[in-house]
Amino acid sequence: KLAVRVNDSLFVHAGLHPKYAKMGLQTLEKMSNDLLQEDFCDSYSSLFFAEDGPLWTRDLSLGDDETACRLVSETLSLLQVNRMVVGHTVQHDNKINSRCNDGLILSDTGFSEAVYGTPCLLEFIYKMQSQQTSNESGFPTPLAINELQVKSQESNIHIKYIEVRAIFQQSDSPAMDEL
C-alpha cells in the first residue's frame, strides 16, 4: 500500500502532498499497483519518482514551518484524518518527533544498523468502549501516542528495557488514569 488510513491517522512513507490527497487513497493505490505491473523504472514522471511524491518528498518533514504545516493541514482536511505518520527523513536525535501541532509525526529514527540501529516503536493507545472520543469522521481518537525505544543498560548491554516517551496525550481524559 502506498498510503494507509488507520482510524484517524494516515501512514505514508515520505508524506502526502494535497495534490495527491485530492486523488483519493483508492486512486493512489490503483496507480501504484498499475505501475508495479509494468516496468515502472521507465516511468520517471510517475508518483514513484516525483520529487514531491509520497515516496520521496521531504517538503513536509524539512520545509519551513508555514509552508509545511499549510500542506499538512490541507492534506489532513482532504482525507479527514488528524495526523500523518511518515518515515523517510531520519530524525537525528533518534526520537520520534512531531510538527504542525502533532499533525505530522516524524517516525524515522534511524533503525537501520547503517544509521543508529536503535529500535523504536510508535504506540497508539485507544479505549475501545462506548465513551471513546471520536473526531468528526467518526473514527476513534487515541488517548495517547507514545514512543517506545529499546534501550540497553550501560553496565550490561545484553539487558534490554523499553523507555516510553509521550508524544501526545489527551490531558482532560480521566480514562488515561485507568490504563
Side-chain angles (χ1 to χ4, degrees):
K1 297 255 180 202
L2 191 61
V4 176
R5 178 188 185 142
V6 178
N7 293 327
D8 66 338
S9 300
L10 175 70
F11 294 81
V12 61
H13 177 71
L16 199 63
H17 272 254
K19 75 178 187 179
Y20 296 108
K22 286 176 186 174
M23 294 177 182
L25 296 181
Q26 288 180 330
T27 300
L28 286 173
E29 186 64 20
K30 181 175 178 351
M31 287 174 66
S32 66
N33 287 339
D34 289 350
L35 283 167
L36 288 171
Q37 297 302 315
E38 58 186 64
D39 186 4
F40 67 90
C41 290
D42 292 333
S43 305
Y44 287 107
S45 63
S46 76
L47 61 97
F48 280 115
F49 296 103
E51 197 173 301
D52 65 351
L55 299 177
W56 290 104
T57 188
R58 285 199 165 95
D59 298 343
L60 308 178
S61 299
L62 298 177
D64 69 87
D65 283 341
E66 184 180 338
T67 303
C69 293
R70 180 182 47 76
L71 293 169
V72 167
S73 178
E74 190 176 341
T75 295
L76 298 180
S77 178
L78 285 164
L79 297 175
Q80 297 181 331
V81 293
N82 289 333
R83 75 196 55 77
M84 184 184 329
V85 180
V86 301
H88 187 59
T89 303
V90 174
Q91 301 302 292
H92 294 289
D93 60 0
N94 195 227
K95 294 185 184 313
I96 295 173
N97 294 303
S98 68
R99 351 178 28 183
C100 308
N101 296 317
D102 298 326
L104 184 67
I105 307 287
L106 306 162
S107 66
D108 189 338
T109 60
F111 180 83
S112 164
E113 288 292 328
V115 185
Y116 298 116
T118 304
C120 195
L121 305 136
L122 185 61
E123 172 187 54
F124 289 76
I125 298 175
Y126 292 92
K127 182 172 176 102
M128 297 305 211
Q129 294 180 354
S130 59
Q131 67 263 32
Q132 169 72 45
T133 58
S134 45
N135 58 28
E136 299 91 39
S137 62
F139 288 97
T141 301
L143 298 173
I145 301 174
N146 298 317
E147 173 191 74
L148 300 139
Q149 203 168 88
V150 177
K151 300 281 190 170
S152 300
Q153 282 189 349
E154 286 185 33
S155 60
N156 184 346
I157 61 168
H158 300 293
I159 298 176
K160 307 280 186 190
Y161 64 96
I162 294 181
E163 181 178 281
V164 178
R165 182 176 66 90
I167 294 173
F168 164 83
Q169 182 174 329
Q170 287 187 19
S171 59
D172 59 345
S173 175
M176 281 304 295
D177 298 332
E178 299 171 19
L179 294 177

